[in-house]
Amino acid sequence: MAMKIVMAVCMLPVLPMMFGACWFLESEKNGTQFGITLWNGAREQSEILEIKRIYKKELKRALLVCLLMFFLTLLPEHESLVITGMMVWTFFSIIYFMFPFQRANKRMKEQKQKYFASLPEGEIQKREDEILIDVTAAGADKPQISKKSLYAGCVFTLLAPIAELFLYCLWPCPWLPELWICEVILLSVAGAAWCFPLYLKFYEKQRTKVFTYNSQVNLQVAEIRKYYWGRLCALLVWLTGVFNWGILASFYVPAQWFPWLVGVVSLVFGMASIGAIVYYWKRMDETSKKYLAQECLAQEDDDKYWIWGMFYYNKSDSRMMVEQRAGIGITCNMAKPGIKCAFILLWIAIIGGTFGACGWSILEEFTPVTLYYEDGTLTAKHWKAVYQINQEDMEQIILLEEEPEIRRQSGTGMKTVKKGDFYSDTYRRDFKVCLNPKEPPFLMIESTDGKWYLLGSNDEKITRDILNKIQP
């Protein structure tokens, strides 16, 4: 039940976030609606208002369907099935919430085709001839972004794994996993922070976007946007640093508080990051509109390069990244070979890693734990040999009718299997564990090198028979 509560607290907020993000996509942006460039009189057409109404209705339906599926994923008793269900639900929800926008994009495209079909042929040619692009801004020097705060945040984030090297020795905590595991976690977060300066370096190399026919206005808007992007990245770096230090602090709280503190820190970090993105994007958009309000927008009708209004594919465009047509953020030019390969590899890694982990958890939970004694060697097996102890290396062996209270330091801790390094407050010592908690009795063994083992089998009779063989 505790695991289901943690999953609900961590995963359920994803749903309103996706719903809110998709609801925001309905807004007009830079003369486009649902990824389609608006035509004269489009805003007042009743058909466009109807498309918006249908879009919102489909979003509400998607919210209800995903909410129902979420609670269905909590029904299985086995933890591995709940985890797998959550992963499937996450992928399903992301894809399902795309469908209303894709359908709205298709309806907008159909309305636009009807509009142009109703125009005289000469009027269509006149509109095509009016598309002009001023390349002065596109070739202008790029304003530089101050990096001091950005790199200071990166260093702040990196200090957490350095501090752990000292804290692990000065303030030992019995339930903590090995030092290298803690360092991998903290260094991974620190590495993510260093992606922001790399992104800004790449962003500065992109050509300036042309908004109007006035080059000075284009340059001013470009400078504003890059200033806010720099501020946003710097803030996200510092938030990542606070998050990393929060994880470090959670390593040194009582074991029972660890998952809750990590959950709270992660939730606060996620909400703060989303709030920062929305705030800076809104500020960037509002400030840009002040400059663009009195200018004629140089909006080229490039609908053909936008797949479903979401994915940009233009072989003739030298840019690697462009601004999203709907919502906030940027997207990649999928026509670039490097972007294609990176995109494919990323999804292979995400899907393969996610469902590989799910398959591993199912294998862990449903594979029985076995004990067997042969040629003077006791072997604990859980789909492979976990521990092997020779009889002459056993200092003492005790039969326990009930499982002692133990806390996981590293390894697996499920209802049907506990395996790895655990700590017992009752005995105040570490244990090497391999057992099924639901199938007592258990063998508590001390080896001649001072290690303690807690072993069991899925069959009570086998456990007792092995004890009788070792201690006739």
Side-chain angles (χ1 to χ4, degrees):
M1 180 57 69
M3 190 274 294
K4 292 182 179 181
I5 294 174
V6 172
M7 293 292 288
V9 170
C10 294
M11 301 297 292
L12 192 56
V14 173
L15 195 56
M17 289 179 189
M18 287 193 295
F19 179 79
C22 292
W23 191 273
F24 181 69
L25 295 180
E26 180 265 343
S27 304
E28 180 185 333
K29 179 182 178 182
N30 297 335
T32 64
Q33 185 88 55
F34 296 117
I36 298 295
T37 305
L38 293 175
W39 56 97
N40 288 339
R43 296 176 180 85
E44 295 78 26
Q45 287 185 2
S46 59
E47 292 85 356
I48 305 304
L49 298 177
E50 179 65 12
I51 290 174
K52 292 182 179 180
R53 188 191 68 79
I54 295 174
Y55 174 74
K56 291 180 178 179
K57 181 180 178 181
E58 291 180 344
L59 268 186
K60 294 175 182 177
R61 184 187 304 139
L63 177 65
L64 292 176
V65 171
C66 292
L67 186 62
L68 176 61
M69 285 194 62
F70 176 83
F71 288 110
L72 289 177
T73 60
L74 298 176
L75 293 179
E77 179 183 355
H78 298 281
E79 296 179 7
S80 59
L81 297 182
V82 174
I83 294 172
T84 302
M86 283 293 176
M87 295 301 103
V88 173
W89 173 82
T90 302
F91 282 104
F92 171 82
S93 299
I94 293 172
I95 295 173
Y96 193 52
F97 268 104
M98 289 182 180
F99 286 158
F101 187 89
Q102 184 270 330
R103 285 193 284 264
N105 174 266
K106 182 180 179 181
R107 296 185 186 107
M108 287 289 295
K109 193 177 295 184
E110 291 172 351
Q111 287 298 322
K112 189 172 183 178
Q113 290 172 350
K114 290 180 182 178
Y115 169 76
F116 281 108
S118 65
L119 293 177
E121 184 175 347
E123 182 69 15
I124 298 175
Q125 184 62 41
K126 178 182 177 182
R127 290 176 182 274
E128 291 177 351
D129 292 341
E130 287 177 350
I131 297 175
L132 302 172
I133 297 298
D134 179 5
V135 297
T136 305
D141 293 334
K142 314 298 187 299
Q144 299 298 310
I145 302 168
S146 175
K147 302 293 195 311
K148 291 182 180 179
S149 177
L150 190 70
Y151 286 113
C154 290
V155 173
F156 173 69
T157 308
L158 192 58
L159 289 176
I162 296 175
E164 171 64 3
L165 294 173
F166 297 96
L167 289 174
Y168 196 89
C169 301
L170 298 175
W171 194 359
C173 190
W175 67 270
L176 267 182
E178 297 180 17
L179 177 61
W180 72 269
I181 297 177
C182 300
E183 285 296 307
V184 166
I185 295 172
L186 296 173
L187 285 172
S188 298
V189 178
W194 284 89
C195 292
F196 290 103
L198 291 176
Y199 164 74
L200 281 181
K201 188 176 182 64
F202 178 79
Y203 184 79
E204 287 178 346
K205 293 181 179 180
Q206 302 299 303
R207 65 181 174 88
T208 303
K209 182 179 179 180
V210 176
F211 296 93
T212 74
Y213 301 108
N214 187 328
S215 297
Q216 293 303 315
V217 172
N218 290 333
L219 292 173
Q220 289 173 332
V221 173
E223 186 173 356
I224 289 170
R225 295 170 72 85
K226 289 175 181 175
Y227 167 76
Y228 280 116
W229 270 118
R231 291 287 300 271
L232 174 60
C233 288
L235 179 57
L236 290 177
V237 166
W238 280 96
L239 286 174
T240 305
V242 173
F243 174 65
N244 213 21
W245 280 93
I247 293 177
L248 175 61
S250 66
F251 288 158
Y252 295 93
V253 299
Q256 62 269 25
W257 291 106
F258 173 75
W260 300 103
L261 182 57
V262 171
V264 170
V265 170
S266 301
L267 184 61
V268 171
F269 169 71
M271 297 301 293
S273 299
I274 293 172
I277 292 171
V278 172
Y279 171 77
Y280 276 105
W281 188 270
K282 187 176 180 181
R283 288 283 299 161
M284 181 169 54
D285 190 53
E286 290 175 351
T287 310
S288 299
K289 284 180 179 178
K290 291 180 182 179
Y291 284 89
L292 300 176
Q294 305 301 322
E295 299 290 334
C296 179
L297 296 180
Q299 180 65 48
E300 184 180 4
D301 190 345
D302 57 354
D303 296 345
K304 62 183 178 180
Y305 300 123
W306 287 89
I307 302 171
W308 301 337
M310 294 183 283
F311 305 104
Y312 186 65
Y313 191 96
N314 185 358
K315 293 182 178 180
S316 60
D317 192 342
S318 61
R319 292 175 295 174
M320 298 283 286
M321 305 179 75
V322 296
E323 185 179 335
Q324 281 279 16
R325 272 205 153 188
I328 62 177
I330 57 176
T331 187
C332 299
N333 185 356
M334 301 302 296
K336 301 299 179 183
I339 297 295
K340 285 181 184 178
C341 294
F343 186 79
I344 293 172
L345 292 175
L346 177 63
W347 275 104
I348 289 176
I350 292 174
I351 296 175
T354 299
F355 289 100
C358 292
W360 174 84
S361 66
I362 292 174
L363 182 64
E364 283 281 285
E365 188 166 12
F366 287 92
T367 302
V369 178
T370 58
L371 279 178
Y372 60 91
Y373 181 76
E374 190 176 65
D375 298 329
T377 300
L378 175 64
T379 302
K381 184 178 180 181
H382 180 242
W383 63 270
K384 66 177 182 178
V386 180
Y387 301 116
Q388 289 185 324
I389 313 172
N390 295 324
Q391 185 173 354
E392 58 268 19
D393 295 330
M394 298 180 188
E395 188 72 26
Q396 62 174 312
I397 180 168
I398 303 170
L399 184 69
L400 301 180
E401 297 295 342
E402 294 182 355
E403 178 196 4
E405 291 187 8
I406 53 177
R407 296 197 309 262
R408 180 180 59 178
Q409 294 179 296
S410 63
T412 303
M414 297 181 174
K415 289 183 178 180
T416 59
V417 59
K418 288 185 177 180
K419 181 178 66 173
D421 296 327
F422 286 70
Y423 179 80
S424 172
D425 289 319
T426 304
Y427 294 97
R428 295 188 178 278
R429 62 170 64 104
D430 294 320
F431 281 95
K432 303 288 186 182
V433 176
C434 184
L435 54 84
N436 182 346
K438 294 184 176 181
E439 298 292 341
F442 310 104
L443 301 179
M444 185 169 69
I445 303 172
E446 181 187 11
S447 63
T448 54
D449 58 1
K451 294 181 180 178
W452 284 85
Y453 297 84
L454 194 59
L455 309 177
S457 174
N458 272 33
D459 191 326
E460 174 185 354
K461 185 176 181 300
I462 292 176
T463 305
R464 295 187 185 276
D465 289 344
I466 289 176
L467 178 63
N468 292 332
K469 290 180 181 179
I470 297 175
Q471 293 181 344

